[in-house]
C-alpha cells in the first residue's frame, strides 16, 4: 500500500524538527559552557542539553525535533533561539517554520544605509529615489530625488521626515497635486506600519510634534485610519518643470532594519521623462554626482 501523503502542516513540522536538529548538532558543548566529557556519540549538543538550557522538558523537545504535533509558544521559541545561538536570519526562519510571528524589537542603534544600497540608489539615474528608516526619516537619496523634491541636505532632524514634510513643509505641500488625498493616504500607511512601535519615544515625540504643528494631522490622526499602499501614481506640480507624473513603489530592505527604498519612475504623461532629464541637467555638477 502507498504511504499516506503528508499534509503541508506535517511537512512544515518535519522541516522545523530537522532545522532544530541541524542547529543543535553544529553547536559545540564548550560554546555553551558544557563539559564535553569522554564519550559523546552525537555531534554538538544532546537533546537534553538543549532542553535544559532553554528551560523546557526533554521529552517535549524530543517530540518537537521528531516533527510531532506540538505547538511551541513565542516565549519557548525565543528561548530555543538563545539556547542554539541562532543569528537573525535563523531566528526568522525558525519562527516562520513554527507558524509564529517573531516579536519585534525596536532598533536602538543609529540607522545606516550600507554601501551596496547606496550604490544601487545612485545608479537610478532617471528615477528619483530615497531610503527611509523605520520612522520614515529620509536617510539617503539620489540626485533625481533632489531635482524633483528638493535638497534634503537643507533639512535637519524631524524636518527630514516624510510625514513632517507632507504636513508642514510649504514647498512639499505646493509640489503635491491632490494634497489632501495623498496626505490622508500617507497618514494611514504610517499608522499601519508604526503599529509595532507603539509607545516608542521617537515615534511619540514625532506624533506630538505633528499634532501641535498641523491642524490636518491633529484632526485626522484620532480617526485611526489604516492602509498599506505600496505603489501608485503621484502627480506633482514642479516650480520649474510644471506638471509631472510618476509611478512610485515602496520596496522593503530585507535586513531586519525596517528601512524601505522608495522609487519614482517618470511616465510619458506630461512629458515627465524629458522634464526630469532637463531638471537633472540644471543641477549643479556636485549635486548631479551626489
Amino acid at each position: 500500500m502507498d504511504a499516506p501523503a503528508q499534509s503541508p502542516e506535517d511537512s512544515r513540522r518535519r522541516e522545523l524538527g530537522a532545522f532544530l536538529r541541524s542547529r543543535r548538532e553544529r553547536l559545540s558543548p564548550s560554546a555553551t559552557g558544557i563539559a564535553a566529557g569522554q564519550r559523546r556519540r552525537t555531534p554538538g549538543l544532546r537533546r537534553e542539553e538543549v532542553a535544559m538550557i532553554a528551560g523546557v522538558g526533554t521529552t517535549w523537545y524530543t517530540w518537537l525535533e521528531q516533527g510531532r504535533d506540538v505547538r511551541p509558544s513565542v516565549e519557548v521559541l525565543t528561548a530555543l533561539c538563545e539556547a542554539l545561538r541562532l543569528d537573525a536570519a535563523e531566528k526568522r526562519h525558525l519562527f516562520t517554520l513554527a507558524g509564529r510571528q517573531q516579536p519585534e524589537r525596536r532598533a536602538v542603534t543609529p540607522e545606516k544605509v550600507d554601501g551596496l544600497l547606496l550604490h544601487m540608489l545612485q545608479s537610478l539615474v532617471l528615477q528619483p529615489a530615497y531610503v527611509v528608516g523605520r520612522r520614515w526619516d529620509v536617510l539617503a537619496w539620489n540626485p533625481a530625488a533632489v531635482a524633483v523634491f528638493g535638497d534634503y541636505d537643507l533639512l535637519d532632524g524631524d524636518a527630514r521626515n516624510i510625514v513632517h514634510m507632507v504636513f508642514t513643509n510649504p514647498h512639499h505641500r505646493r509640489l503635491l497635486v491632490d494634497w489632501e488625498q495623498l496626505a490622508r493616504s500617507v497618514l494611514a500607511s504610517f499608522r499601519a506600519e508604526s503599529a509595532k512601535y507603539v509607545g516608542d519615544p521617537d515615534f511619540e515625540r514625532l506624533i506630538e510634534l505633528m499634532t501641535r504643528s498641523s491642524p490636518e494631522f491633529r484632526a485626522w490622526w484620532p480617526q485611526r485610519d489604516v492602509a498599506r499602499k505600496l505603489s501608485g501614481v503621484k502627480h506633482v506640480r514642479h516650480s520649474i518643470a510644471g506638471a509631472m507624473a510618476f509611478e512610485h513603489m515602496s520596496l522593503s530592505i530585507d535586513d531586519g532594519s525596517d528601512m524601505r527604498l522608495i522609487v519614482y519612475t517618470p511616465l510619458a504623461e506630461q512629458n515627465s521623462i524629458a522634464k526630469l532629464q532637463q531638471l537633472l541637467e540644471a543641477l549643479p555638477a556636485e549635486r548631479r554626482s551626489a
Side-chain angles (χ1 to χ4, degrees):
M1 295 179 62
D2 293 336
Q6 283 191 351
S7 69
E9 185 69 14
D10 290 335
S11 298
R12 185 181 59 78
R13 286 197 298 264
R14 285 184 175 276
E15 181 59 29
L16 171 63
F19 180 67
L20 286 170
R21 185 168 59 255
S22 71
R23 301 305 90 173
R24 170 174 62 83
E25 290 177 348
R26 70 165 191 181
L27 190 61
S28 67
S30 60
T32 62
I34 295 175
Q38 295 293 325
R39 298 179 180 177
R40 297 186 70 91
R41 292 180 294 177
T42 59
L45 296 182
R46 299 187 178 104
R47 286 171 175 166
E48 60 268 24
E49 292 169 339
V50 174
M52 178 189 67
I53 297 170
V56 299
T58 300
T59 300
W60 183 90
Y61 178 76
T62 300
W63 288 349
L64 190 61
E65 274 201 10
Q66 291 174 344
R68 297 199 192 186
D69 188 10
V70 293
R71 302 177 186 277
S73 66
V74 169
E75 292 76 16
V76 167
L77 290 171
T78 301
L80 289 173
C81 289
E82 296 297 328
L84 294 169
R85 307 294 198 269
L86 303 189
D87 62 24
E90 291 168 333
K91 289 177 183 178
R92 288 197 299 271
H93 189 63
L94 179 63
F95 273 83
T96 298
L97 289 175
R100 297 287 189 181
Q101 181 70 36
Q102 186 176 357
E104 297 286 351
R105 293 185 178 179
R106 184 176 72 88
V108 295
T109 57
E111 294 174 305
K112 183 179 180 180
V113 182
D114 67 27
L116 290 175
L117 182 54
L118 281 174
H119 183 263
M120 184 179 72
L121 183 66
Q122 300 304 323
S123 72
L124 300 172
V125 177
L126 281 178
Q127 290 172 290
Y130 49 79
V131 176
V132 297
R134 58 185 178 273
R135 205 188 66 150
W136 291 22
D137 298 309
V138 179
L139 305 176
W141 54 90
N142 65 5
V146 173
V148 174
F149 300 116
D151 192 348
Y152 295 101
D153 261 332
L154 302 179
L155 304 174
D156 293 318
D158 293 327
R160 202 185 286 172
N161 175 275
I162 294 295
V163 178
H164 193 285
M165 282 188 282
V166 168
F167 279 90
T168 68
N169 186 310
H171 164 75
H172 216 72
R173 184 160 179 161
R174 288 192 301 267
L175 183 71
L176 302 173
V177 178
D178 301 324
W179 177 87
E180 180 172 339
Q181 177 183 353
L182 178 63
R184 285 182 177 274
S185 177
V186 165
L187 194 61
S189 297
F190 177 74
R191 180 181 282 282
E193 291 195 17
S194 64
K196 68 183 73 172
Y197 292 105
V198 169
D200 182 291
D202 288 339
F203 279 78
E204 295 298 320
R205 186 177 57 77
L206 175 64
I207 292 166
E208 182 181 352
L209 172 63
M210 297 306 305
T211 300
R212 294 196 312 266
S213 306
S214 167
E216 293 91 352
F217 185 99
R218 187 163 55 249
W220 299 340
W221 183 253
Q223 296 175 9
R224 288 178 165 76
D225 292 333
V226 292
R228 184 172 172 79
K229 190 172 183 181
L230 302 179
S231 62
V233 175
K234 180 176 290 187
H235 293 87
V236 304
R237 189 185 300 107
H238 196 275
S239 59
I240 297 173
M244 302 176 72
F246 297 86
E247 288 180 337
H248 66 87
M249 176 68 70
S250 174
L251 306 170
S252 298
I253 309 301
D254 190 19
D255 62 356
S257 67
D258 274 354
M259 290 193 297
R260 288 182 177 274
L261 173 65
I262 316 297
V263 181
Y264 293 83
T265 301
L267 301 175
E269 179 184 348
Q270 307 286 1
N271 202 25
S272 302
I273 301 172
K275 289 179 178 178
L276 177 57
Q277 289 175 321
Q278 293 170 0
L279 289 173
L280 279 168
E281 291 170 1
L283 284 178
E286 64 272 15
R287 303 305 294 149
R288 291 198 299 270
S289 59

